[in-house]
Amino acid sequence: MTWFAPPSGMALDEFATACIESGSGGLLLDESALPPEFFDLSTRAAGTLLHELGKHLIPLAAVVPDPEAYSPAFQDFVRESNRGHRVRFFPDRAQAEAWLGSVLGG
């Protein structure tokens, strides 16, 4: 099974739909593809995306090399996410791809 990596400039609220429409089983996001509001948890953008992905059982691997560059709340969010099975943050793309491959059975 493959994963979907959105093109630059795609709106955050389009990620889940595009992943589903492409027939991909997972979502791979690089930090550069994420808008600033994703990292500001008060906007609820990250939670909205994760909720939408969760409804469709789509795993998310996000490449964020330095979570410490963001707020303490976002750092807590990363730590909590990495304890789960559907959303993980990674320091590099190779680790993110390996995890998605294992989750998707490929």
Side-chain angles (χ1 to χ4, degrees):
M1 183 156 295
T2 62
W3 55 83
F4 178 75
S8 171
M10 179 178 276
L12 190 63
D13 62 352
E14 297 174 340
F15 288 174
T17 301
C19 184
I20 293 164
E21 289 176 352
S22 74
S24 300
L27 183 60
L28 176 62
L29 295 175
D30 287 309
E31 184 175 32
S32 61
L34 294 166
E37 61 265 18
F38 182 86
F39 301 100
D40 178 359
L41 298 185
S42 70
T43 68
R44 299 184 175 174
T48 300
L49 175 62
L50 270 51
H51 176 74
E52 189 64 27
L53 294 173
K55 286 190 326 190
H56 301 286
L57 302 176
I58 298 171
L60 165 65
V63 180
V64 180
D66 185 17
E68 278 75 42
Y70 300 99
S71 72
F74 183 78
Q75 294 170 44
D76 290 343
F77 172 68
V78 169
R79 280 190 291 277
E80 280 297 313
S81 296
N82 285 348
R83 291 185 186 126
H85 301 289
R86 287 268 164 218
V87 178
R88 295 277 174 94
F89 289 83
F90 297 91
D92 61 58
R93 191 177 178 102
Q95 290 180 41
E97 289 177 351
W99 178 77
L100 270 179
S102 71
V103 168
L104 297 173

